[in-house]
Amino acid sequence: MPQKSVPPRRAAMLGELSVVSRRYMAAYALFNQAVADRLRLHPTDLQCLNLLSLEAAPVTTGRIAELTGLTTGSATRLVDRLERAGYVTRARDTVDRRRVLVATVPERMAEFGAVWERLNGGWAAMFERYGDDEVALLIAHMRRTVELSAAQVAELREGGEER
């Protein structure tokens, strides 16, 4: 099947997008590492706390595995580290005693939140410069990125063929 010809301007933009997106991902990974270092956490543990702060209630280690894309064994080790650091506790589910729920510790999460709050001003100022349509585009892009990333994490963890 013949490939469609890409107009030169579009090809240049897609090339620039490729470069900029790689820099963006690297910048975020380095930012995440710096925040994790400040809190004396592993970067994955930091993001797990971020995800746990978005959950409405305590969760199982299995749910943490789903949220992070980790195996249940890796998620258990992650919870062990967070528990040792004082960020989470484990408790038996009062409804189903076979289940153990992981809950965040409010005082430690306040420290976690204070770091994000201090950094949030720069992000808020940056987003404030965008119009409503641009913000809507960013939201749509980020939602699609989350979905695509989760699918690719699952594929990588399942040992899918390299592309």
Side-chain angles (χ1 to χ4, degrees):
M1 190 179 243
Q3 289 189 348
K4 279 176 44 175
S5 175
V6 178
R9 182 172 186 274
R10 175 83 173 171
M13 288 177 66
L14 291 175
E16 183 178 0
L17 179 60
S18 176
V19 170
V20 170
S21 67
R22 289 174 60 195
R23 289 186 192 281
Y24 172 84
M25 287 186 281
Y28 187 78
L30 295 169
F31 169 78
N32 187 61
Q33 181 68 58
V35 174
D37 289 348
R38 173 59 61 108
L39 292 170
R40 293 186 173 91
L41 292 169
H42 185 278
T44 304
D45 299 2
L46 173 72
Q47 289 308 314
C48 179
L49 285 175
N50 179 38
L51 293 169
L52 287 175
S53 74
L54 299 172
E55 293 292 299
V59 299
T60 64
T61 302
R63 174 68 178 145
I64 291 171
E66 289 173 16
L67 289 169
T68 59
L70 297 172
T71 64
T72 53
S74 292
T76 297
R77 289 187 294 280
L78 184 155
V79 171
D80 291 343
R81 289 191 305 269
L82 290 176
E83 189 173 38
R84 279 193 304 275
Y87 282 97
V88 301
T89 59
R90 289 179 169 112
R92 292 254 173 235
D93 186 340
T94 56
V95 176
D96 182 349
R97 300 285 301 153
R98 296 168 296 178
R99 289 179 4 141
V100 174
L101 297 175
V102 177
T104 56
V105 175
E107 298 80 20
R108 294 293 288 179
M109 290 305 288
E111 295 169 24
F112 174 81
V115 171
W116 285 117
E117 188 63 35
R118 195 172 76 245
L119 297 169
N120 196 39
W123 293 100
M126 180 181 71
F127 290 133
E128 192 61 37
R129 292 192 302 250
Y130 294 112
D132 290 350
D133 290 345
E134 292 171 307
V135 171
L137 176 65
L138 288 170
I139 291 168
H141 165 73
M142 288 180 182
R143 284 184 176 146
R144 288 184 199 123
T145 299
V146 168
E147 291 170 8
L148 179 58
S149 294
Q152 289 183 333
V153 165
E155 184 178 319
L156 287 166
R157 298 245 189 265
E158 292 167 5
E161 289 188 29
E162 293 187 25
R163 295 178 186 229

